[in-house]
Amino acid sequence: IYPTITNDYITITYPQQEFEYAIIDESGKRLIYGSGENRVEVNISFLMQGNYLVKVNQSYFKIIKK
């Protein structure tokens, strides 16, 4: 997942596999979700500034929305 600090988009890559993803706020609410294969760009420009978790299949990653 990159970039981890961003204003508008994140890119999720999961080579040669299908995956499900979710953007989760600090309260645990799932704000954005979807699925893809290999690479997906996700627009997060409308989210408020703060810390979010990105769940990709069963793994979690932290991002910061500026």
Side-chain angles (χ1 to χ4, degrees):
I1 294 176
Y2 61 91
T4 56
I5 301 173
T6 186
N7 292 323
D8 48 11
Y9 287 89
I10 61 167
T11 300
I12 302 170
T13 56
Y14 211 78
Q16 301 176 356
Q17 291 190 29
E18 292 183 14
F19 60 89
E20 293 184 355
Y21 66 88
I23 311 295
I24 303 165
D25 68 11
E26 291 180 315
S27 70
K29 184 177 179 183
R30 189 171 69 158
L31 303 174
I32 304 170
Y33 55 91
S35 61
E37 187 174 345
N38 297 325
R39 181 176 182 264
V40 172
E41 284 191 357
V42 182
N43 181 356
I44 64 167
S45 63
F46 60 91
L47 296 178
M48 305 246 330
Q49 291 182 358
N51 298 321
Y52 295 89
L53 288 176
V54 180
K55 181 180 179 186
V56 180
N57 289 344
Q58 299 302 315
S59 299
Y60 290 87
F61 306 89
K62 180 181 173 183
I63 61 168
I64 298 170
K65 167 65 167 67
K66 286 191 131 188

